[in-house]
Amino acid sequence: PMPPPMAMMPGMSELSPNTAPYLPASAATRDVSRTIRLRAGDTVNLTPRPFATTIDGKPVVMLGYNGMLPGPRLEVPQNAQITARVTSALDGATSIHWHGIRLDNAFDGAVGLTQGAIEPGRSFDYSVRFPDAGVYWYHPHAREDMQQGLGLYGTIVVRSASPNYYSTVNREEMLVLS
């Protein structure tokens, strides 16, 4: 449907999306987002799942890693390699793309290009190394239009081995806007 003064593109007037509204089978309550500090060789468990919360006093179902929005902030030292075990508690397929991280293609999370999707109830172990200090994020590359829009994303801070890499500050705050 188009606003009355706006013309529909030719041939598009009878088209409608071949999708139904997203209504997950169940949803737990939301957990408070937190930082997970990792060392080289550690394993972090990430479970994308629906959770119930309220926005402007209205109940809504969102998605989050470990039921958190944003997902847990991962803090790792530069040059560390970790395992991220992702177990899907979603109704549909998912993955994790490690945005901006230089890593092996097999763990890039681009469904259909570098890996198969993680199906509901299944797990996938990502081997992720962090050669560059900085701030990054992680998010799905399977139905990212819906999954990211409903909250599947988190941040990564890669701490430099050099103590003078960042300027001295009184405190750090991570601000995520969606």
Side-chain angles (χ1 to χ4, degrees), residues 94-105:
T94 194
S95 72
I96 292 185
H97 172 69
W98 308 91
H99 201 98
I101 305 292
R102 293 185 298 133
L103 45 63
D104 295 334
N105 236 10

Side-chain angles (χ1 to χ4, degrees), residues 70-125:
R73 174 176 141 174
L74 306 180
E75 191 170 302
V76 297
Q78 184 177 3
N79 296 316
Q81 183 160 339
I82 63 148
T83 298
R85 180 163 295 125
V86 178
T87 302
S88 177
L90 299 175
D91 294 338
T94 194
S95 72
I96 292 185
H97 172 69
W98 308 91
H99 201 98
I101 305 292
R102 293 185 298 133
L103 45 63
D104 295 334
N105 236 10
F107 304 110
D108 187 53
V111 172
L113 294 174
T114 61
Q115 80 170 73
I118 306 168
E119 297 298 332
R122 304 294 300 230
S123 296
F124 183 84
D125 286 354

Side-chain angles (χ1 to χ4, degrees), residues 52-83:
T53 190
T54 57
I55 296 177
D56 196 26
K58 296 179 177 79
V60 295
V61 173
M62 308 260 323
L63 301 177
Y65 292 105
N66 300 357
M68 300 175 195
L69 180 62
R73 174 176 141 174
L74 306 180
E75 191 170 302
V76 297
Q78 184 177 3
N79 296 316
Q81 183 160 339
I82 63 148
T83 298

